[in-house]
Amino acid sequence: MLKQTEGSAAVAEAVALCRPEVICAYPISPQTHIVEALGRMVTAGTLAPCEFINVESEFAAMSVAIGASAAGARAYTATASQGLLFMAEAVYNAAGLGLPIVMTVANRAIGAPINIWNDHTDALSQRDCGWLQLFAEDNQEALDLHIQAFRLAEELSLPVMVCMDGFILTHAYERVDLPTQAQVDAYLPPYEPRQVLDPADPVSIGAMVGPEAFMEVRYLAHAKQRQALELIPAWADEFRRIFGRESGGLTRTYRTEDAETIVVALGSILGTIKDTVDEMRAQGTRI
């Protein structure tokens, strides 16, 4: 269904179609509209069964997501900028525990001075934390990547960030093609957790280990990232077959066949770069 809508609203509808069971919410611009929209769906009963938990900080948001995921629920949250830094300790814990949490990062600059505008320093500061990071060029891709993120996270037992540029995408109104619930269900199977905390069968997770075991855990995280290099393009192809459009994948090229200069970039700036490439090509520059 074609719909003219705000980027945050499109992402909220995509997340809802993925049937999350726990959503942890703490407001920080420019991601707030996403969790507000999801909160309205839960209150109205259109997103059910789902528990929407208001928390007191970004650290609490990720901590609740960790607890929910460890207990076997499909968990989602969102953050931006200093919020991502505040939850950094828990972000590493989520990856180390192999929990398939999906989180939107509405990319925003890190202060000081205080700055609410777009910048990738928040996500890139967590480059080595063990999460996959998927960057969206436009709001259609932001919508699509969330559907792919849940499948990646649950197949790999690895958390995934979907990064979309703050305000430039989150608050921009664009036409998007919203999928049906049947399409999403055909692509994203019901969540079957691989590890579940059960009061009737108590275990410890994330307990202290020595260097020899810690090395093995870090290697496993590396191996999962390598596996993702194969799964991301394969599932982008499956996404195209089910939804009828190209989205996701590892990289995309633009007029590179005979290029002497190639620019590599992430996020919404890709659209501006394509326009600039066209202008420079018209002037004879092989870029």
Side-chain angles (χ1 to χ4, degrees):
M1 178 182 69
L2 295 178
K3 185 176 184 179
Q4 189 80 7
T5 189
E6 185 192 49
S8 294
V11 166
E13 293 197 52
V15 170
L17 289 169
C18 294
R19 303 184 187 274
E21 296 165 292
V22 175
I23 296 172
C24 319
Y26 188 82
I28 180 170
S29 294
Q31 67 84 11
T32 307
H33 288 182
I34 300 172
V35 292
E36 285 180 343
L38 288 165
R40 287 192 292 269
M41 294 180 205
V42 173
T43 300
T46 57
L47 174 52
C50 181
E51 185 170 0
F52 188 90
I53 303 174
N54 289 306
V55 294
E56 70 276 13
S57 70
E58 289 91 350
F59 181 87
M62 182 52 59
S63 298
V64 170
I66 287 171
S69 185
R74 182 175 278 166
Y76 168 82
T77 189
T79 193
S81 187
Q82 276 94 327
L84 181 58
L85 299 189
F86 188 27
M87 65 168 65
E89 178 186 350
V91 166
Y92 274 78
N93 285 337
L97 293 171
L99 299 173
I101 299 163
V102 171
M103 175 169 63
T104 307
V105 176
N107 295 116
R108 169 187 149 188
I110 301 293
I114 194 69
N115 185 341
I116 64 170
W117 303 109
N118 173 239
D119 184 308
H120 288 164
T121 47
D122 50 4
L124 294 183
S125 75
Q126 303 301 303
R127 183 194 65 178
D128 299 325
C129 69
W131 287 56
L132 290 179
Q133 295 187 355
L134 309 177
F135 284 78
E137 177 180 354
D138 53 32
N139 284 338
Q140 182 68 66
E141 189 167 44
L143 182 163
D144 295 343
L145 287 177
H146 281 82
I147 301 168
Q148 296 180 43
F150 277 102
R151 182 155 181 192
L152 275 168
E154 292 167 11
E155 175 65 22
L156 294 167
S157 290
L158 197 69
V160 179
M161 295 181 197
V162 180
C163 302
M164 62 186 298
D165 287 351
F167 294 104
I168 297 170
L169 295 185
T170 57
H171 287 57
Y173 279 72
E174 295 179 355
R175 189 181 75 167
V176 298
D177 187 356
L178 283 169
T180 65
Q181 186 67 69
Q183 286 176 309
V184 176
D185 289 345
Y187 182 81
L188 178 64
Y191 179 39
E192 294 290 342
R194 298 184 185 179
Q195 54 179 350
V196 179
L197 288 177
D198 182 356
D201 184 21
V203 297
S204 294
I205 65 170
M208 182 175 175
V209 299
E212 70 294 332
F214 188 78
M215 180 186 70
E216 294 298 324
V217 172
R218 301 310 298 171
Y219 177 78
L220 177 60
H222 170 71
K224 290 178 180 179
Q225 298 269 345
R226 299 284 296 181
Q227 187 180 357
L229 296 178
E230 300 175 3
L231 290 178
I232 288 172
W235 284 348
D237 287 342
E238 183 175 342
F239 187 92
R240 175 182 50 77
R241 291 194 299 271
I242 293 175
F243 296 86
R245 57 179 174 270
E246 299 280 351
S247 194
L250 292 173
T251 59
R252 287 195 298 274
T253 59
Y254 186 72
R255 305 189 72 169
T256 58
E257 293 79 7
D258 63 340
E260 295 176 341
T261 303
I262 296 177
V263 179
V264 181
L266 298 165
S268 63
I269 197 172
L270 292 171
T272 303
I273 291 173
K274 289 175 182 176
D275 289 343
T276 304
V277 165
D278 290 341
E279 293 172 4
M280 296 180 69
R281 281 277 181 172
Q283 299 166 4
T285 303
R286 289 163 58 182
I287 183 168

